[in-house]
Amino acid sequence: MLGIEVYMTKEEILEKSRNEMKGRDIADIEISKSAIQTGWLVAVSLMAIIVVVDAVVFSRIPVEMLFSAFGGLATVFWIKYFRMKKRHELFVGAMYSVAAVCFLISWILQIVG
C-alpha cells in the first residue's frame, strides 16, 4: 500500500484531498443551515409572543415587529427565487413582501396618528 501512495500523481493527490474535504464542507454547510433555520424559528416565535403580550397588555398590535419578521421572510424567499427560479418562491416572496409593506404602512400610521 505504501508503494502505491508514493507513485500517486499530483492530480491524484489533489483529487483525493478534494474528496476528503468535501465531507467536512458539506457538514459545515448543513450545520449552518440548521442553525439558521432554528434561529429564524426562535426569532419568529419570540416575535409572535411579544405581539400577543403587547396586544393583551397595551391593547395595540406591534406592527413594527410584524414588519421586521415579514421583511426577513420576504428576503429569504426572494433569495431562494433568484437562485432556484421556482414559482413557489416567487409567489411566497411576493406575498411576504406585500404583508411587510402593509405592516410598514400601519406602523407609520401609528407613529403619525
Side-chain angles (χ1 to χ4, degrees):
M1 192 164 204
L2 182 62
I4 294 173
E5 302 239 342
V6 171
Y7 294 109
M8 289 177 67
T9 66
K10 181 179 176 182
E11 290 77 22
E12 290 171 329
I13 293 169
L14 288 172
E15 183 63 31
K16 184 177 178 183
S17 175
R18 281 189 209 111
N19 288 336
E20 289 173 356
M21 294 303 290
K22 281 183 183 176
R24 282 187 239 144
D25 290 339
I26 291 172
D28 290 345
I29 291 169
E30 291 301 317
I31 290 168
S32 293
K33 280 179 24 180
S34 175
I36 290 168
Q37 289 173 341
T38 303
W40 260 104
L41 180 62
V42 169
V44 171
S45 298
L46 290 172
M47 285 184 196
I49 290 168
I50 291 169
V51 166
V52 171
V53 170
D54 253 11
V56 171
V57 174
F58 300 112
S59 299
R60 78 172 202 96
I61 303 295
V63 290
E64 64 276 10
M65 291 276 228
L66 296 170
F67 162 64
S68 63
F70 279 80
L73 290 168
T75 302
V76 168
F77 278 90
W78 282 116
I79 290 170
K80 287 175 65 177
Y81 169 71
F82 287 121
R83 290 187 180 165
M84 299 187 316
K85 303 292 186 203
K86 291 187 177 179
R87 289 176 51 182
H88 173 265
E89 275 67 26
L90 172 65
F91 178 74
V92 175
M95 292 295 103
Y96 278 136
S97 295
V98 168
V101 168
C102 290
F103 287 127
L104 174 61
I105 292 168
S106 297
W107 183 41
I108 292 169
L109 291 174
Q110 276 186 356
I111 293 171
V112 173

